[in-house]
Amino acid sequence: MAAINDHLLLVHGEERFLVDTAVRGWRERVRARSPELDIEVFDAPAKLDGFRQSIAEIPLLDPERSVLLRDPPQLAATARRGSDSPDALAAALTGQAPTTSLCIVSHGRVAAQNPVLAAFRTLRGSISYFPAPRGREVRTWLDRAIADRGLRLGRGSAEHLLQAAGTDLGALTSELDKLQAYAAGRPLTSDQVARAVAGDEPPELYSVLEHLIGQTPA
């Protein structure tokens, strides 16, 4: 696997949990280099003037600057009226100062023809794409996550987790956090997992509500 270029990094994809995990990793790495520095954040700016100025400036006292650009409309599938163009964002990247670490994140797939992708390739930035996992990919991810945590779960536990949390990796991670705390290093039976994992109560609750409300609610 190629090393990630934290100086210029683009993270995008449909799997929100993995996208956010990758961005969190970038945050931790730049903060490890300069713990005292804040990360400047731009949230979905329609106009890029402030962002352009920020990444181009060289700090007077600090050794570097870290900037996070979140969900810019220039990377969205449909253009936002009144926003600067994708070409404007691509052009802004060419003015990035050597002392600036920049991460751009998009919770969605950036189209292959977007000029920002071409700019990243020209500038030798890193691009990390996380598509939504499917069927077997989710099970493979879950099995690896269980093993990484050292969890010892009874037969059928993984299937119950998938039934309860679906393919949402964030929800699965929350359930694994719960099981890890509950297990405290001990093995768990499938019955213990079933009792600890959410998922059984909501359908039953909704069924009761449907009976109470009925055709003519009181």
Side-chain angles (χ1 to χ4, degrees), residues 20-71:
D20 289 342
T21 298
V23 174
R24 186 163 55 250
W26 173 83
R27 282 178 174 268
E28 292 171 353
R29 291 191 298 272
V30 298
R31 279 181 171 154
R33 294 198 306 268
S34 302
E36 72 284 357
L37 296 182
D38 291 330
I39 296 174
E40 187 174 8
V41 179
F42 291 87
D43 271 315
K47 297 298 182 181
L48 297 169
D49 293 339
F51 167 76
R52 185 184 297 108
Q53 180 179 356
S54 179
I55 65 171
E57 285 182 348
I58 297 178
L60 293 177
L61 300 176
D62 298 324
E64 65 177 312
R65 180 193 305 268
S66 297
V67 177
L68 175 62
L69 177 61
R70 288 199 291 223
D71 293 310

Side-chain angles (χ1 to χ4, degrees), residues 20 35 42 78 139 152 154 163 178 183 193:
D20 289 342
F42 291 87
T78 56
R139 177 57 190 267
R152 292 170 291 166
Q163 184 178 17
K178 184 194 305 180
V193 171

